[in-house]
Amino acid sequence: MTLPRDYRGQTCALARSMEIVGERWTLLILRDAFYGVRRFGEFAAHLAVPRAVLADRLTTLTGAGVLERRPETGTGRREVYVLTPKGVALWPAVRALTAWGEEFYAPGGGGPRRIFLHSGDEAPLDSDGRCTGCGTAVPVADVLVAPGPGLAPSTPDDDPVTAALTRPHRLLLPLLTHAPAGRSTRGSQS
């Protein structure tokens, strides 16, 4: 028996939020969207999520106004998924859950797998999203995601998203500027 998607009888704002972002895979899709993943195939390869599940989650997120589907610039043939302002507003929750997971569930104990830096001075962000160098609250568009000391070395079998995330990258900008030549289906746990 499948669980219902809504919390009937609940008037709590958290319950309403969970109807949109509380399903398995949804926060990982959002995390990847912040990293700059935009194409269906990139999400599928990086997350190793069943394509039908991915399609359902993307439909839910676009229907809720968290993601927007639009033609890819320059191609006119492909569509990409881009965070809307409503989606960007989820960044503090995604950042906080990532930090919580790094603290309590990081594999190997080698430190965080990803670190978030202020693009202005490349200082790390604190747990509240403030730059530890200049003290400003850093908007998501000014955040760099960079490999941390706990990130495993890249391998030739890595999907294109995993490989690209071994280099510092500003959030919200497209991670891959062209469609990969081969269709890797090997997922990653990054």
Side-chain angles (χ1 to χ4, degrees), residues 135-154:
T136 61
V138 181
V140 68
D142 292 337
V143 174
L144 290 173
V145 59
L151 185 66
S154 184

Side-chain angles (χ1 to χ4, degrees), residues 31-37 46-47 113-116 144-148 151-152 154 158-171 173-176 188-190:
R31 176 207 60 196
D32 279 10
F34 279 105
Y35 287 171
V37 176
H46 186 237
L47 297 172
R113 293 162 14 112
R114 306 240 184 270
I115 55 174
F116 299 109
L144 290 173
V145 59
L151 185 66
S154 184
D158 284 343
D159 66 273
V161 171
T162 299
L165 287 170
T166 62
R167 298 178 300 279
H169 175 76
R170 189 175 259 186
L171 295 184
L173 294 180
L175 184 62
L176 302 175
S188 168
Q189 300 301 316
S190 54

Side-chain angles (χ1 to χ4, degrees), residues 74-164:
T75 68
R77 296 185 324 227
R78 294 177 183 235
E79 288 188 324
V80 293
Y81 294 90
V82 180
L83 287 159
T84 64
K86 185 177 183 179
V88 170
L90 286 165
W91 172 243
V94 172
R95 187 191 73 246
L97 284 168
T98 300
W100 184 79
E102 288 287 5
E103 183 174 345
F104 295 107
Y105 296 102
R113 293 162 14 112
R114 306 240 184 270
I115 55 174
F116 299 109
L117 309 169
H118 180 200
S119 64
D121 58 14
E122 296 192 9
L125 303 185
D126 68 15
S127 61
D128 293 324
R130 296 184 92 59
C131 176
T132 59
C134 67
T136 61
V138 181
V140 68
D142 292 337
V143 174
L144 290 173
V145 59
L151 185 66
S154 184
T155 70
D157 293 334
D158 284 343
D159 66 273
V161 171
T162 299

